[in-house]
Amino acid sequence: MSWTANLVQILPTAKTVVSADGVPYVSLHIAPQEYVEVHLVVTNNDCPFKIYFKRFDKLGHIIEEREYAQAGTLDLAKHFALEVANFRLNSFEFVLDGE
């Protein structure tokens, strides 16, 4: 089983997406125009998985892109992706409540 299929089975609302370069990654939809993405990086100097948060405007242009974590294992990548999604959702609840 591929790493993308493994994460898609575990993470809610996750889908496998292929970039314009033909590289697959996992995208987790957390809110309208907001996604957590898990990318596989094949270099000697980095951990194999990078977790990003991306927010898009209504036209599909990126307005926010942050690298939140690097993970050495698939299990850690799953854990960090869920953590980023939870942090992001909780942070907006406080802002929308006016606190």
Side-chain angles (χ1 to χ4, degrees), residues 26-42:
V26 174
S27 179
L28 174 65
H29 182 251
I30 56 172
Q33 288 96 21
E34 294 186 357
Y35 299 88
V36 174
E37 297 179 355
V38 180
H39 293 260
L40 178 65
V41 180
V42 183

Side-chain angles (χ1 to χ4, degrees), residues 47-84:
C47 288
F49 298 100
K50 289 191 177 187
I51 294 82
Y52 295 93
F53 170 80
K54 290 186 182 178
R55 184 167 44 156
F56 297 86
D57 64 7
K58 294 186 187 234
L59 298 175
H61 299 104
I62 295 176
I63 56 175
E64 183 178 358
E65 180 178 14
R66 297 183 189 183
E67 181 181 332
Y68 271 97
Q70 292 185 10
T73 65
L74 189 60
D75 190 47
L76 280 174
K78 174 196 68 124
H79 174 74
F80 287 142
L82 287 173
E83 206 169 81
V84 170

